[in-house]
Amino acid sequence: MIRKIVVALLSAIIFCMGLAWLNYTPLDEQQANTYHWSYASLVMVYLMYAVPVYLVGGVPLSLLIEFITEKIGWVNPVVNYVFRLIAYSLAGLVAMMLFMFVMTGGKSGSSLFANGDFRFEVVASLLYLHLWLFSFLIVKPKKRGYSHGGYMRNL
């Protein structure tokens, strides 16, 4: 659980840095007499929204996905990985739809798909998945006990 929270925080930071990089206007391209956000300000504003989504929506959905993956118990690591790709992509969409529903007071249902911004949620959830998988290369799970729940057994 601690691993998932740490990975969620790292994912939020990396995702927000990338999103801020996409929206930042360099100094030489800024127009006179208009306000432009600094890169650090953009990262901080995005973090205020991304961290709750990752922690409140992403971590529980990730626990659910890993529970389902463990119960199914595929032997083939490719099938296991493809299932996780699809499941985490859908979980990113679900988490963002719930976040948008809460933030708009229940008025935003289909606006998420109307403008095509759902690709950011998929990227955010897949970033979490791959950082979580990468974390097992950095910090090896214990041989015994419930340190990783056997999630990496089929990878």
Side-chain angles (χ1 to χ4, degrees):
M1 182 72 157
I2 296 295
R3 180 186 302 258
K4 287 195 175 289
I5 292 172
V6 169
V7 169
L9 293 174
L10 286 174
S11 298
I13 291 169
I14 293 170
F15 179 71
C16 290
M17 288 174 66
L19 194 58
W21 179 75
L22 288 174
N23 291 316
Y24 176 68
T25 305
L27 290 174
D28 56 337
E29 295 178 15
Q30 293 178 358
Q31 297 177 355
N33 298 324
T34 55
Y35 181 76
H36 293 278
W37 291 77
S38 68
Y39 178 77
S41 298
L42 285 172
V43 171
M44 292 301 148
V45 168
Y46 293 153
L47 278 173
M48 287 190 309
Y49 291 100
V51 169
V53 173
Y54 269 104
L55 291 178
V56 176
V59 171
L61 287 171
S62 175
L63 289 170
L64 177 66
I65 291 168
E66 296 308 323
F67 175 77
I68 292 169
T69 304
E70 184 67 22
K71 285 296 179 187
I72 293 173
W74 282 301
V75 178
N76 188 340
V78 175
V79 173
N80 197 354
Y81 178 71
V82 170
F83 172 76
R84 282 187 172 132
L85 281 177
I86 294 168
Y88 274 88
S89 298
L90 292 174
L93 293 173
V94 168
M96 195 59 194
M97 285 191 329
L98 291 173
F99 178 74
M100 293 294 290
F101 186 77
V102 169
M103 292 300 291
T104 60
K107 296 177 184 160
S108 175
S110 63
S111 66
L112 179 66
F113 299 106
N115 57 8
D117 283 342
F118 59 89
R119 64 187 174 271
F120 291 117
E121 290 80 26
V122 172
V123 168
S125 62
L126 293 181
L127 174 67
Y128 175 84
L129 168 65
H130 288 95
L131 281 177
W132 181 72
L133 293 173
F134 184 70
S135 73
F136 286 97
L137 297 175
I138 296 173
V139 178
K140 301 287 184 194
K142 297 177 184 176
K143 297 281 185 191
R144 294 273 178 188
Y146 193 73
S147 63
H148 68 290
Y151 300 143
M152 296 301 291
R153 177 174 49 98
N154 293 333
L155 287 180

